[in-house]
Amino acid sequence: MPSIQLKTPSASYEIVIASGLVKTLPARLKKLKAGKPFRTFLVTSPEIWGLWGKQVIAAFGKESPTVLFLPAGETHKRLRTLESLLEQMAAAGADRDALLVAFGGGVVGDVTGFLAAIYMRGVAYVQVPTTLLAQVDSSIGGKTGVNLAAGKNLVGSFHHPLAVLADTDLLNTLPAAELRAGLQESIKAGIIRDPKLFGYLENNADAVLGRDAKALTHVVAASVRVKADVVANDERESGLRMILNYGHTLGHAIEAATGYKQLLHGEAVGWGSIAATRLGLMRGMIGKDEADRIIRLILRYGPLRSFKATAARLVDLTSSDKKKRSGTLSFVLPAKIGEAVIVRDVTREEMLAVAEWTLELVREQGAAAKQKQKRK
Amino acid sequence: MPSIQLKTPSASYEIVIASGLVKTLPARLKKLKAGKPFRTFLVTSPEIWGLWGKQVIAAFGKESPTVLFLPAGETHKRLRTLESLLEQMAAAGADRDALLVAFGGGVVGDVTGFLAAIYMRGVAYVQVPTTLLAQVDSSIGGKTGVNLAAGKNLVGSFHHPLAVLADTDLLNTLPAAELRAGLQESIKAGIIRDPKLFGYLENNADAVLGRDAKALTHVVAASVRVKADVVANDERESGLRMILNYGHTLGHAIEAATGYKQLLHGEAVGWGSIAATRLGLMRGMIGKDEADRIIRLILRYGPLRSFKATAARLVDLTSSDKKKRSGTLSFVLPAKIGEAVIVRDVTREEMLAVAEWTLELVREQGAAAKQKQKRK
């Protein structure tokens, strides 16, 4: 089974990608705690628990964990939800030997990781990501946190899990739209760092989208390798790690403009990646053929839902994004398939032009999707 | 001027104890940031700002910091207050180059440190403690956090400041009760680690309580040295650092039993230290003469306010204290003046006996204080 060791200055841990990990979860947790006493607190959403709760409980047998629920969705990724979970842990008598398990998608992982980072100034946790997005991206790298009214992920900690256990069986219950949205992060991984992964996604789209176990495991493992490699080289996002934000600058603006409800994160990142590619092309940083291949692959793994926004609003929202450092807006652009560069001199005019072009494509794709539905 | 370098595995920084530090604060911040651009956000309470705001603003001149207010008192040491400060920072456009300054007592320091720990997953901060308690104890060691309904300091981070600047001038506006309460932490430092400091406090009580500048500077610096030395040897409180909790196990229970409002933290610690000393005596771990000297010194720096509680309630509250590890209650007891040991086998019966004895002393002291007031 694919296993990747992520080694940073502050932590070293294993990311396992395989089928059947849920069944062996209790034994794996014990091994991770290496004989030390601990009490398991499993954080999940009611939806995921409805699908997988029985199997988890069966795996734990008599030593059932304390289960804490987090309502699904980005709107619950806030400090007030966190406070409720913290109070529940305290009421259940959790001490520093508590071991948290994040059993869910990106929101569950981010909130649980932050919960672990700050409960009694830090307890251990393990990531068991249940969505593709969480398996290939959000569960890896130790970024945890919640949103403010003022913006996404503005509050949080760097706090690494003891391990990431990505059970590919969990992807079988994932809605198709979430699978496709998660694959946008794999495409991103290919664009910025792994031309082979990019090629694999081009050549095996049917198998991947059809959830062929071998194809999915390959894509998840390759995506994880890209992320782990980048994080290992720049744990605290002082340089290289910024390339993981490819597609996210405009992506976050799109999410903010649509109230974080209309599009899945991966869909917004898909649109943002298209915009970044277009900007790279406008600047002559990437050739027309490669830019076309990128945009074609992103749309192949669509449809990306359409949305309404003005270019000015999107550009305004990008400058309030937290990737900004002391007034300069950093932007990750493609140099070629498999290589990204960070530029810091993008002007408002360029941004507006790219946003206009992208919004036009959004309208076209939206109209095409409607036509397609009518024909059905 | 006394300056102590605190070196831990994760950070190394200076603690300066001197008069006139506020006047040179802007220059010191610039030096700490070593030429890197930054924006200053000063967090303070309206009370402290009323006393010192003008001088701070005068020191900053044209480059005035953004001032954020935290209402005074333990009741505001909560996640909702933190969220309001986080949103204010975001609204003011703070990015990762923000430099926070905690200008206040323990609550301001703990909340500001935690704010710095989690805003954008961590920005820098400097402690400028304005109370004696904050100067000798809470500003040092990187513990930051807020309370839950379920208990004090149950949420937080280890996040070290860039420096601690303890301006002894700030102690001139401190209410007498707060000065005395803060000195209980200095007495604690003497008991657990520094017999010379203990002796100095015995022999110079009038000068210290009379705020003689030389005496106060001596006591603050010696207390800081004890804390810095312990923290340097055990940053994450896995062993030695627990001795700093001397007097705090029952102290926290007393604070919880009285709603965190009736006694100052240092007063509760004073009573807790007396209880720990009594327990040490009951167990034959410390001799009668030394135990008497400890209790006498604690009361000399009183009066410690009296309060009402039952022994059973106090003992119940100690077992919900977070110093508990997997069911075993740790207790720090004096072996002699200048040396503390951690014991893990204290029974409920012993706790009850010690709590009863302490509550009897609380009643006696309360009655004596009333008599004294009548006579006036």
Side-chain angles (χ1 to χ4, degrees):
Chain A
M1 63 182 74
S3 159
I4 293 141
Q5 192 70 25
L6 174 51
K7 212 175 147 69
T8 75
S10 71
S12 177
Y13 57 98
E14 202 183 7
I15 303 157
V16 187
I17 300 113
S19 162
L21 294 176
V22 166
K23 287 177 196 144
T24 54
L25 183 57
R28 285 177 183 274
L29 297 183
K30 274 183 196 160
K31 206 175 157 195
L32 287 165
K33 288 294 287 185
K36 280 183 214 150
F38 68 97
R39 263 183 70 192
T40 308
F41 292 80
L42 188 144
V43 183
T44 190
S45 72
E47 291 75 11
I48 289 290
W49 197 243
L51 293 167
W52 291 92
K54 268 192 187 171
Q55 294 194 43
V56 174
I57 290 295
F60 275 93
K62 281 178 194 164
E63 296 172 318
S64 55
T66 304
V67 181
L68 305 175
F69 290 101
L70 180 68
E74 195 77 24
T75 46
H76 298 286
K77 199 176 154 182
R78 295 298 299 269
L79 281 171
R80 58 179 164 273
T81 319
L82 195 76
E83 181 156 36
S84 158
L85 292 170
L86 288 160
E87 294 283 7
Q88 287 175 62
M89 285 187 68
D95 64 14
R96 286 173 187 166
D97 300 320
L99 175 65
L100 283 159
V101 175
F103 192 83
V107 171
V108 166
D110 285 5
V111 172
T112 306
F114 193 36
L115 187 65
I118 66 176
Y119 186 72
M120 289 189 171
R121 300 196 193 92
V123 298
Y125 78 111
V126 171
Q127 290 273 17
V128 183
T130 61
T131 66
L132 186 66
L133 178 68
Q135 293 194 353
V136 301
D137 187 45
S138 61
S139 70
I140 299 145
K143 277 195 188 178
T144 73
V146 296
N147 303 329
L148 289 180
K152 265 186 89 170
N153 296 320
L154 283 174
V155 189
S157 281
F158 284 96
H159 186 53
H160 289 288
L162 292 185
V164 180
L165 306 172
D167 187 338
T168 48
D169 296 348
L170 293 165
L171 303 179
N172 294 333
T173 54
L174 197 64
E178 286 198 39
L179 183 81
R180 289 196 306 268
L183 286 164
Q184 293 297 336
E185 294 281 358
S186 294
I187 296 171
K188 180 199 79 177
I191 298 169
I192 61 171
R193 198 99 171 156
D194 187 349
K196 276 190 193 163
L197 170 59
F198 190 93
Y200 187 90
L201 287 164
E202 283 183 317
N203 299 329
N204 300 276
D206 289 336
V208 173
L209 288 167
R211 306 188 200 217
D212 174 81
K214 209 182 126 193
L216 265 187
T217 304
H218 178 90
V219 169
V220 173
S223 311
V224 165
R225 247 175 234 115
V226 168
K227 176 133 190 192
D229 179 43
V230 171
V231 170
N233 282 292
D234 176 25
E235 186 180 16
R236 291 298 176 110
E237 200 171 31
S238 53
L240 178 68
R241 189 161 174 172
M242 281 185 202
I243 69 168
L244 296 172
N245 292 329
Y246 184 79
H248 284 63
T249 309
L250 209 71
H252 284 160
I254 291 168
E255 288 186 286
T258 54
Y260 298 103
K261 280 173 198 164
Q262 220 171 311
L263 278 76
L264 293 169
H265 174 68
E267 292 175 319
V269 168
W271 288 122
S273 297
I274 287 174
T277 308
R278 176 70 189 175
L279 185 53
L281 182 65
M282 275 170 54
R283 291 192 146 210
M285 289 172 60
I286 189 166
K288 176 108 182 49
D289 287 356
E290 292 214 309
D292 284 347
R293 271 178 71 199
I294 291 175
I295 293 172
R296 210 179 307 128
L297 188 66
I298 291 169
L299 294 177
R300 172 69 185 89
Y301 282 82
L304 302 175
R305 256 170 279 196
S306 61
F307 62 93
K308 278 180 185 161
T310 65
R313 171 95 176 116
L314 291 183
V315 175
D316 288 346
L317 284 165
T318 56
S319 38
S320 70
D321 189 90
K322 76 170 187 308
K323 268 85 204 178
K324 189 181 60 143
R325 289 182 75 95
S326 288
T328 324
L329 187 69
S330 300
F331 219 102
V332 189
L333 298 182
K336 62 179 182 188
I337 289 167
E339 194 182 319
V341 291
I342 299 163
V343 296
R344 295 174 197 275
D345 61 347
V346 178
T347 64
R348 188 176 165 83
E349 286 63 40
E350 283 178 292
M351 288 286 299
L352 281 170
V354 162
E356 285 289 8
W357 184 89
T358 307
L359 287 168
E360 182 56 36
L361 185 64
V362 170
R363 281 186 291 270
E364 271 175 39
Q365 292 282 318
K370 263 191 196 158
Q371 280 297 327
K372 208 174 161 187
Q373 234 169 0
K374 268 190 199 163
R375 279 200 300 273
K376 274 184 189 171
Chain B
M1 66 181 71
S3 160
I4 293 141
Q5 193 70 23
L6 174 52
K7 212 173 149 68
T8 76
S10 72
S12 177
Y13 57 97
E14 201 184 6
I15 304 156
V16 187
I17 300 113
S19 161
L21 294 175
V22 166
K23 287 178 195 144
T24 55
L25 183 57
R28 285 177 182 273
L29 297 183
K30 273 183 195 158
K31 206 175 158 194
L32 287 165
K33 289 293 287 183
K36 281 183 212 149
F38 67 98
R39 262 183 72 191
T40 308
F41 291 81
L42 187 144
V43 183
T44 189
S45 72
E47 291 73 12
I48 290 289
W49 198 243
L51 293 167
W52 292 92
K54 268 192 186 171
Q55 294 193 44
V56 174
I57 290 295
F60 275 92
K62 281 176 194 167
E63 297 171 319
S64 55
T66 304
V67 181
L68 304 175
F69 290 101
L70 180 68
E74 196 76 25
T75 47
H76 298 285
K77 198 175 156 183
R78 295 299 297 270
L79 281 171
R80 57 179 164 273
T81 319
L82 195 75
E83 182 156 36
S84 158
L85 292 169
L86 289 159
E87 294 283 7
Q88 288 176 60
M89 284 186 69
D95 65 13
R96 287 174 186 164
D97 300 320
L99 175 65
L100 282 159
V101 176
F103 192 83
V107 172
V108 166
D110 285 3
V111 173
T112 306
F114 193 37
L115 187 65
I118 65 176
Y119 186 72
M120 290 189 170
R121 300 196 194 92
V123 298
Y125 78 111
V126 170
Q127 290 273 16
V128 183
T130 61
T131 65
L132 186 65
L133 177 67
Q135 293 193 353
V136 301
D137 186 45
S138 60
S139 70
I140 298 146
K143 276 195 189 179
T144 73
V146 297
N147 303 330
L148 289 181
K152 265 185 90 171
N153 296 320
L154 283 174
V155 189
S157 282
F158 284 95
H159 186 53
H160 289 288
L162 293 184
V164 179
L165 306 172
D167 187 337
T168 48
D169 296 349
L170 293 166
L171 303 179
N172 293 332
T173 54
L174 197 63
E178 286 198 40
L179 183 81
R180 287 196 306 267
L183 286 164
Q184 293 297 337
E185 294 281 358
S186 293
I187 295 171
K188 179 199 80 176
I191 298 169
I192 62 170
R193 198 105 170 151
D194 188 348
K196 274 191 193 164
L197 170 58
F198 191 94
Y200 187 91
L201 286 164
E202 284 185 317
N203 298 328
N204 299 276
D206 289 337
V208 173
L209 288 167
R211 306 187 200 217
D212 174 82
K214 210 182 125 193
L216 265 188
T217 304
H218 178 88
V219 169
V220 173
S223 311
V224 165
R225 248 176 234 114
V226 168
K227 176 132 190 192
D229 179 42
V230 171
V231 170
N233 281 293
D234 176 25
E235 185 180 18
R236 291 298 176 110
E237 200 171 28
S238 52
L240 179 68
R241 189 162 173 173
M242 281 186 202
I243 67 167
L244 296 172
N245 292 330
Y246 184 80
H248 284 62
T249 308
L250 209 72
H252 284 159
I254 291 168
E255 288 186 286
T258 54
Y260 298 104
K261 278 171 197 164
Q262 219 171 311
L263 278 76
L264 293 170
H265 175 67
E267 292 174 321
V269 168
W271 288 122
S273 297
I274 286 174
T277 308
R278 176 70 188 175
L279 185 52
L281 181 65
M282 274 170 53
R283 293 193 145 210
M285 290 172 59
I286 188 166
K288 176 110 182 52
D289 286 358
E290 291 214 310
D292 284 348
R293 269 179 72 198
I294 292 175
I295 294 172
R296 211 180 305 129
L297 187 66
I298 291 169
L299 294 176
R300 172 71 185 87
Y301 282 82
L304 302 177
R305 257 171 279 197
S306 61
F307 62 93
K308 278 180 186 157
T310 64
R313 171 97 176 116
L314 291 183
V315 174
D316 288 346
L317 284 164
T318 55
S319 38
S320 70
D321 189 89
K322 77 169 184 308
K323 267 86 203 176
K324 190 180 60 142
R325 288 182 75 93
S326 287
T328 323
L329 186 70
S330 300
F331 219 104
V332 189
L333 299 182
K336 61 179 184 187
I337 288 168
E339 193 181 319
V341 290
I342 299 164
V343 296
R344 295 175 198 276
D345 59 348
V346 177
T347 63
R348 188 175 164 84
E349 286 62 41
E350 283 179 293
M351 288 287 298
L352 280 170
V354 161
E356 285 290 9
W357 185 89
T358 308
L359 286 168
E360 181 57 37
L361 186 64
V362 170
R363 281 188 289 270
E364 270 176 40
Q365 293 282 317
K370 263 192 195 157
Q371 280 297 329
K372 209 173 161 187
Q373 234 171 1
K374 268 191 197 161
R375 280 199 300 273
K376 271 183 189 170

